[in-house]
Amino acid sequence: MNEYDSSKMVDMMCSERNMQQTKDPAEADLILLNTCSIREKPQEKVFSQLGRWKPLKTNNPELIIGVGGCVASQEGKNIIKRAPYVDMVFGPQTLHRLPKMYDDAVKTKLPSIDTSFPKIEKFSKLPNALSVNPSAFVSIMEGCSKFCSFCVVPYTRGLEVSRPPEQILNEIKNLSERGVREINLLGQNVNAYRAKDIHGAKLRLADLLQLVADINGVDRIRFTTSHPLQFTDDLISSFENKKLANYLHLPVQSGSDRILKLMERKHKVELYIDRIEKLRAIRSDISISSDFIVGFPGETNEDFEETMNLINIIGFDQSFSFIFSSRPNTPAADMFDDVPYEEKLSRLNRLQALINVNANKISQSMIGTEQNVLVEKQSKKDIGQISGRTENNRWVNFDGPEDLIGSFVNLTITEALPNSLRARLIN
Ligand code: SAM
Ligand code: SF4
């Protein structure tokens, strides 16, 4: 989501203020730091990064520094208090106001702060992407109304708001006309998508997926992230459409009903297993990935073993896992937590090792199979090679001409490495 927002900031400033992007901060007239506050560590990094940029203002007094994203939303004017050389503070929902904020900062030399949640105004104000890759993100909804007890998102990004379908479809049509072949629909909980079409008919994510699949040129669709509670039968049936990648990211967080209740996830482990079984009745070999929080306040060894058990039942593919991080204003921040940090770390290591074993098995089982891959770029490691992603989200490197970038090709997988695959081109 932040990657998408950052690219929109670049598009805004380039198209509306004729700026050019530079990778060298010493050369910049404007530096924007897009931030994440989902855990404490990335939040702390914000101030150390700002500290590194501070001296640039001595050489270039005209330099404007802006802080956006969820830390900006959460901390507001405290950012200016702690780092008075920051000129602009804007939240995830106000990044479309950047050009005006920038003009004001240049003119008045006074800091400005706008971290409001002006509904979904942002999207109608954003320009089309200036440059495109074969695979693109498209945001379909913002915010979250689930209020899981550990999570800061509803406070920093606001409540769930869905984008009108026409706007989404126009953005995707524009992208596909420019060569984009894969669309990744984005939102904190995309399956909470609720909208109406121009005739007033109700639309949910399953309906939107069908409309996206009907767009000429769009050949692969992904969506992220979903909540198990709203991973409903209509959405499961959407996987009958082969344009949906054979991959699902459906975070479960924990395999213990007791912890899920404390997390206020509003479902039990059984529901999760049931949904995956239904999905596998349609796509027997689909890759399932998840997010896990380890060491939630009061998590016992038994609770943790239940999570390990669930990992074995589902056979999760490569996933994201984190040690619980206490976030300001969330209910979990006040929960009694008697699990020592060393214990949490050891659980995290065990969980990650088990996930790696599963993911490795899946990669090994792909050797010798034929995979349809969207070629996205030149390989970073091997000059002369090109790279793409399999449906189950693995990078594959193989020999082939650069002009295949942007096309789907069939490959035979020849080798499975820990973080990527190698392959041979078939056609
Ligand atoms: N909406 C998605 C869901 O409900 O699964 C998750 C979105 S959240 C931005 C991404 C992940 O960050 C979560 O799935 C969770 O595992 C992790 N996360 C959120 N708050 C956290 C916290 N306080 N400590 C550790 N991990 C956290
Ligand atoms: Fe955070 Fe996801 Fe829960 Fe929403 S559903 S509060 S984004 S973890």
Side-chain angles (χ1 to χ4, degrees):
M1 183 66 88
N2 269 12
E3 223 178 276
Y4 177 84
D5 282 350
S6 299
S7 68
K8 289 295 168 196
M9 292 177 201
V10 173
D11 290 345
M12 284 297 284
M13 296 313 293
C14 292
S15 66
E16 300 210 0
R17 291 299 177 271
N18 213 14
M19 288 192 164
Q20 279 179 347
Q21 205 180 355
T22 170
K23 294 232 180 297
D24 179 7
E27 197 179 76
D29 301 306
L30 167 67
I31 300 183
L32 297 175
L33 183 61
N34 195 14
T35 63
C36 174
S37 67
I38 198 79
R39 288 176 298 281
E40 200 175 355
K41 212 168 170 189
Q43 180 178 334
E44 278 312 304
K45 282 186 182 165
V46 170
F47 290 99
S48 42
Q49 182 59 61
L50 287 172
R52 280 195 286 278
W53 284 332
K54 185 181 171 193
L56 295 176
K57 281 213 158 186
T58 319
N59 297 339
N60 178 8
E62 302 301 313
L63 171 66
I64 299 291
I65 298 181
V67 181
C70 288
V71 176
S73 175
Q74 185 183 292
E75 298 296 320
K77 57 181 184 306
N78 288 337
I79 297 206
I80 310 265
K81 263 196 209 149
R82 202 166 147 185
Y85 46 91
V86 168
D87 305 281
M88 314 188 295
V89 176
F90 55 98
Q93 294 335 23
T94 47
L95 61 92
H96 58 290
R97 296 181 182 163
L98 261 179
K100 167 86 172 63
M101 284 181 91
Y102 173 73
D103 295 346
D104 291 348
V106 170
K107 215 183 318 164
T108 65
K109 307 266 181 237
L110 293 171
S112 62
I113 301 168
D114 186 352
T115 54
S116 55
F117 300 137
K119 276 271 180 179
I120 207 84
E121 162 191 311
K122 158 175 151 182
F123 292 106
S124 53
K125 303 276 163 53
L126 293 176
N128 280 328
L130 289 180
S131 64
V132 296
N133 295 316
S135 172
F137 290 124
V138 173
S139 186
I140 64 164
M141 52 91 65
E142 281 275 331
C144 182
S145 308
K146 298 281 182 297
F147 289 94
C148 300
S149 64
F150 53 82
C151 185
V152 81
V153 168
Y155 310 95
T156 55
R157 282 191 178 259
L159 300 180
E160 284 160 4
V161 191
S162 298
R163 252 182 111 181
E166 313 81 60
Q167 220 181 63
I168 298 170
L169 297 172
N170 282 339
E171 182 171 339
I172 298 176
K173 277 179 199 150
N174 175 279
L175 292 170
S176 81
E177 279 160 14
R178 295 162 69 193
V180 172
R181 307 288 304 275
E182 176 184 274
I183 298 291
N184 196 337
L185 302 178
L186 270 187
Q188 296 303 330
N189 278 309
V190 280
N191 51 351
Y193 183 81
R194 297 287 179 273
K196 284 190 179 159
D197 69 11
I198 40 171
H199 310 295
K202 285 184 184 168
L203 284 185
R204 291 155 57 106
L205 181 61
D207 309 306
L208 186 68
L209 285 170
Q210 185 57 54
L211 294 171
V212 175
D214 289 343
I215 295 177
N216 217 354
V218 173
D219 293 311
R220 187 166 287 169
I221 305 168
R222 301 176 189 271
F223 55 88
T224 189
T225 301
S226 301
H227 191 290
L229 202 59
Q230 286 162 319
F231 195 68
T232 41
D233 287 348
D234 56 339
L235 194 48
I236 293 174
S237 301
S238 299
F239 280 85
E240 280 161 12
N241 188 330
K242 292 286 178 220
K243 285 196 178 181
L244 254 69
N246 207 19
Y247 172 85
L248 172 73
H249 184 63
L250 189 66
V252 66
Q253 315 296 352
S254 167
S256 150
D257 280 340
R258 198 181 74 83
I259 295 295
L260 286 181
K261 191 154 195 282
L262 288 172
M263 286 179 166
E264 290 175 45
R265 293 287 286 180
K266 302 176 187 81
H267 71 86
K268 293 191 171 174
V269 176
E270 203 185 328
L271 174 134
Y272 190 91
I273 297 175
D274 175 64
R275 304 272 151 114
I276 298 300
E277 276 175 0
K278 276 190 174 157
L279 178 64
R280 283 192 165 145
I282 298 175
R283 294 272 188 105
S284 56
D285 58 345
I286 192 166
S287 268
I288 310 289
S289 74
S290 174
D291 295 345
F292 296 94
I293 294 181
V294 172
F296 188 81
E299 182 191 66
T300 62
N301 224 345
E302 263 169 28
D303 293 318
F304 175 69
E305 290 306 332
E306 288 184 35
T307 303
M308 297 291 271
N309 191 29
L310 181 67
I311 293 173
N312 283 327
I313 292 173
I314 302 290
F316 283 106
D317 202 345
Q318 209 50 269
S319 295
F320 301 97
S321 44
F322 319 96
I323 289 182
F324 166 76
S325 171
S326 173
R327 305 313 295 129
N329 307 319
T330 60
D334 297 325
M335 289 181 190
F336 178 66
D337 189 1
D338 58 354
V339 190
Y341 184 77
E342 291 66 35
E343 175 60 29
K344 295 186 182 199
L345 196 58
S346 133
R347 288 179 193 171
L348 182 74
N349 289 337
R350 278 184 57 206
L351 183 144
Q352 290 181 338
L354 183 58
I355 294 277
N356 282 341
V357 168
N358 281 347
N360 217 355
K361 261 191 220 155
I362 297 173
S363 295
Q364 292 293 335
S365 73
M366 292 171 76
I367 296 176
T369 62
E370 191 176 320
Q371 300 287 328
N372 190 240
V373 161
L374 174 60
V375 188
E376 294 189 42
K377 56 186 185 187
Q378 282 179 306
S379 163
K380 269 191 205 149
K381 282 190 201 142
D382 303 290
I383 297 163
Q385 287 209 320
I386 46 181
S387 315
R389 262 178 316 146
T390 60
E391 286 199 50
N392 64 357
N393 237 356
R394 281 164 170 72
W395 281 101
V396 196
N397 296 309
F398 58 100
D399 287 329
E402 239 178 80
D403 59 10
L404 284 180
I405 294 174
S407 314
F408 281 92
V409 295
N410 289 331
L411 302 173
T412 303
I413 305 300
T414 54
E415 199 182 341
L417 305 170
N419 297 312
S420 62
L421 304 171
R422 285 188 200 281
R424 196 176 48 243
L425 193 59
I426 299 176
N427 56 353

